[in-house]
Amino acid sequence: MPPRERRLALETFMPGNVAVGVMDLPVCRRVSWSEVELWSDRLEEAVRRSGRIPETIIGLTRGGWVPSRMLADRLGVKRLLALRAQHWGVTATPTGEAQLSERLSVSVEGENVLVVDDITDTGESLALAQDHVQTLRPGRLETATYLHIHQAKLRPTYVAEEISRDSWVWFVFPWNYWEDLRTLARKAAAMDPGPEAIRAVLLERCALDVPPEDVARALAVP
């Protein structure tokens, strides 16, 4: 997912009377590389079981770029393309509708295509990507994500793990760790500045346990 769909997802999945501060500092779950490997294996198995190996895989960047590469490697798919969508979230900037900022510039007409993202929170970005690729007249179009939230507007063809509405948290993927930490740390700093204090806020409010040196390193980036 692009700077991911989190803000809208928070507004969708959390009670209407939740304070803005809680929405800005959601409960987090830090994803490990071993989980990424497991989810990649599950997607590979699901695709192979279907008998529909794609000729082209399209990663929905930025969040879907690593998952798409992992899946292409496992399936032996050589053609890997990218679409870029934007959907501002909690760890990005103001909320707004999903939109494609970089479309496909090559033909996929008649090809069997698989669009891959890391997670469907609201599902808006993946739905937008699917609609765009469909206009290019692929032979077959399917979608895949590591994680799928039940209330998302689009259910991918292939899902590695499903997440119920009640179990929703902010998933901090390895490829988004520093960006997420930087934004969350800046929000926490407004409550109590200093690496140790910020770390304590993130642990208490987000269940995110990070070293103070990581906090300092994240905040050093403009």
Side-chain angles (χ1 to χ4, degrees):
M1 186 180 304
R4 293 192 304 278
E5 303 166 346
R6 297 298 205 256
R7 181 122 201 159
L8 183 55
L10 279 167
E11 293 169 355
T12 301
F13 301 135
M14 296 183 72
N17 61 353
V18 173
V20 172
V22 173
M23 294 175 66
D24 287 343
L25 291 170
V27 175
C28 298
R29 172 182 159 189
R30 189 172 175 184
V31 174
S32 68
W33 279 111
S34 62
E35 288 177 301
V36 171
E37 294 282 354
L38 173 63
W39 294 332
S40 298
D41 289 343
R42 286 179 179 173
L43 288 183
E44 178 201 5
E45 180 182 356
V47 173
R48 290 194 183 281
R49 190 166 56 243
S50 75
R52 302 188 298 272
I53 306 297
E55 298 167 89
T56 297
I57 290 180
I58 300 174
L60 185 54
T61 66
R62 294 175 296 164
W65 191 237
V66 173
S68 65
R69 183 64 183 92
M70 300 279 281
L71 193 54
D73 186 35
R74 283 164 166 74
L75 294 173
V77 175
K78 302 300 183 184
R79 195 172 194 223
L80 182 60
L81 307 176
L83 273 174
R84 186 182 180 194
Q86 292 179 319
H87 194 314
W88 309 120
V90 165
T91 65
T93 51
T95 184
E97 294 184 356
Q99 56 182 299
L100 291 179
S101 57
E102 294 178 17
R103 298 170 180 264
L104 284 183
S105 58
V106 296
S107 175
V108 294
E109 185 173 353
E111 295 186 11
N112 298 325
V113 176
L114 180 65
V115 179
V116 179
D117 204 356
D118 52 3
I119 183 172
T120 47
D121 271 330
T122 67
E124 288 197 359
S125 295
L126 189 59
L128 188 67
Q130 179 179 256
D131 290 345
H132 168 61
V133 176
Q134 194 65 63
T135 66
L136 304 178
R137 298 184 294 181
R140 182 182 65 241
L141 176 59
E142 296 184 312
T143 55
T145 61
Y146 282 160
L147 304 176
H148 171 64
I149 309 300
H150 284 172
Q151 281 67 32
K153 67 182 294 184
L154 172 68
R155 190 190 191 285
T157 314
Y158 308 103
V159 174
E161 184 174 324
E162 300 206 28
I163 308 296
S164 70
R165 175 173 181 160
D166 293 339
S167 301
W168 188 92
V169 294
W170 183 301
F171 290 89
V172 180
F173 294 96
W175 46 87
N176 219 63
Y177 172 70
W178 292 103
E179 180 179 335
D180 281 354
L181 178 57
R182 183 162 53 251
T183 305
L184 292 169
R186 285 172 179 164
K187 293 179 183 297
M191 301 174 60
D192 198 348
E196 287 287 356
I198 292 171
R199 178 181 180 275
V201 171
L202 294 179
L203 183 59
E204 178 183 355
R205 299 287 291 274
C206 304
L208 189 61
D209 189 5
V210 296
E213 54 267 28
D214 278 14
V215 172
R217 179 179 172 185
L219 292 176
V221 177

